[in-house]
């Protein structure tokens, strides 16, 4: 922090540096997410020198490495930790009326959740889930059930029996609502039946795991989760 700010100047450069760092985190997460259910495409012609098969699934080892990286750097409890006291100084420089009518304080939770949602939305996109299942027929060893179990664990297992920090609360609610939308949302017909089956399976796991524990904020959060899931299961057709 002290290496970036300059006496007599605003904290704009510090704020910009923080934003760049968060953007790089998000971009790294996006890159890793593409390995999950990924397919290498070879467009060479039959008999052409160096030709391989047209479609080759990403190896199990590389997909697991990507999932572990996403778990550690995007979804984990400490994934977006910042040095103590940094948030107090993330002040944008005011130029004229560029703040408009909105508040100028840093929107830390919104920024972090936006990065997490970008990765999560790709991992649970209907095309990704469909491709994982189809590619199991021609070499993909990272099955849909294994992937969605790993994803569920990455978002819940680390703190399910303890207090849940506010970043993880946001992530867990977002993920749970995404699973619910796979079953009850407007685009539910875009998802394959086995994707919906795994969504239902994981929702029931979350409900069972989200027993009251932790501080008051965590207990409220877990009650929120259970209520969302109970209502969704009631509406399920």
């Amino acid at each position: 922090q002290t290496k970036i700010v300059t006496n007599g100047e605003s904290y704009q450069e510090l704020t910009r540096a923080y934003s760049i760092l968060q953007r790089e985190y998000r971009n790294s997460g996006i890159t890793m997410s593409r390995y999950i259910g990924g397919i290498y495409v070879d467009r060479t012609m039959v008999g052409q020198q160096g030709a391989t098969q047209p479609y080759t699934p990403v190896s199990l080892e590389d997909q697991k490495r990507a999932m572990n990286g996403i778990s550690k750097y995007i979804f984990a409890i400490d994934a977006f930790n910042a040095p103590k006291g940094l948030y107090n100084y993330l002040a944008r420089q005011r130029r004229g009326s560029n703040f408009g009518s909105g508040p100028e304080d840093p929107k830390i939770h919104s920024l972090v959740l936006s990065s997490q949602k970008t990765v999560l939305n790709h991992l649970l996109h209907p095309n990704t889930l469909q491709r994982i299942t189809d590619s199991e027929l021609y070499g993909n060893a990272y099955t849909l059930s294994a992937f969605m179990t790993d994803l569920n664990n990455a978002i819940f297992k680390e703190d399910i029996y303890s207090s849940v920090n506010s970043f993880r609360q946001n992530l867990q609610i977002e993920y749970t609502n995404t699973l619910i939308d796979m079953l009850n949302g407007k685009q539910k017909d875009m998802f394959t039946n086995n994707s919906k089956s795994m969504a239902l399976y994981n929702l029931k796991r979350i409900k069972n795991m989200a027993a009251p524990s932790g501080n008051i904020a965590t207990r409220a959060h877990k009650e929120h989760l259970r209520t969302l899931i109970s209502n969704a299961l009631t509406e399920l057709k």
Side-chain angles (χ1 to χ4, degrees), residues 8-55:
E9 301 289 339
S10 72
Y11 290 98
Q12 178 66 29
E13 282 303 306
L14 177 64
T15 303
R16 189 173 72 88
Y18 175 79
S19 297
I20 291 172
L21 179 61
Q22 295 306 307
R23 186 164 62 247
E24 289 304 310
Y25 255 80
R26 183 191 64 213
N27 290 342
S28 296
I30 292 171
T31 299
M32 289 187 288
S33 73
R34 268 47 180 181
Y35 283 83
I36 308 298
I39 303 292
Y40 296 109
V41 179
D42 185 345
R43 301 192 186 281
T44 52
M45 301 300 178
V46 177
Q48 185 175 340
Q49 185 176 3
T52 63
Q53 58 190 16
Y55 299 119

Side-chain angles (χ1 to χ4, degrees), residues 5 25 27 35 69 72 98 108 113 117-118 127 130 135 172 185 187 193 209 211 228 233:
V5 297
Y25 255 80
N27 290 342
Y35 283 83
K72 181 177 180 179
N98 64 324
I108 308 299
L113 184 60
K117 283 174 61 177
T118 299
N127 290 349
Q130 168 265 316
S135 61
Q172 290 174 3
Q187 295 184 319
N193 287 331
M209 289 189 296
L228 286 174
L233 296 181

Side-chain angles (χ1 to χ4, degrees), residues 182-201:
M182 289 173 62
L183 298 172
N184 293 339
K186 294 180 180 179
Q187 295 184 319
K188 63 182 180 181
D189 291 339
M190 295 180 63
F191 291 92
T192 60
N193 287 331
N194 49 359
S195 297
K196 294 179 184 178
S197 296
M198 281 304 304
L200 178 60
Y201 176 77

Side-chain angles (χ1 to χ4, degrees), residues 52-142:
T52 63
Q53 58 190 16
Y55 299 119
T56 301
V58 173
S59 69
L60 173 62
E61 179 184 11
D62 283 346
Q63 290 191 72
K64 293 287 283 188
R65 284 175 57 202
M67 190 67 237
N68 289 337
I70 291 169
S71 298
K72 181 177 180 179
Y73 296 110
I74 304 298
F75 295 152
I77 291 173
D78 59 352
F80 288 89
N81 276 4
K84 187 176 181 179
L86 174 65
Y87 297 145
N88 301 77
Y89 294 91
L90 296 180
R92 292 176 294 154
Q93 182 176 336
R94 181 160 188 166
R95 296 182 174 90
S97 58
N98 64 324
F99 291 154
S101 59
E104 65 177 85
D105 53 297
K107 313 301 185 295
I108 308 299
H109 285 87
S110 178
L111 182 63
V112 169
L113 184 60
S114 175
S115 296
Q116 293 172 325
K117 283 174 61 177
T118 299
V119 175
L120 188 62
N121 287 343
H122 176 75
L123 293 176
L124 292 179
H125 192 279
N127 290 349
T128 302
L129 301 179
Q130 168 265 316
R131 189 167 58 249
I132 291 173
T133 301
D134 282 342
S135 61
E136 289 178 33
L137 299 175
Y138 52 93
N140 178 21
Y142 197 26

Side-chain angles (χ1 to χ4, degrees), residues 204-222:
K204 291 184 175 181
R205 285 185 66 210
I206 295 167
K207 186 177 181 182
N208 290 334
M209 289 189 296
S213 61
N215 57 26
I216 293 176
T218 297
R219 288 173 177 264
H221 164 65
K222 291 179 178 178

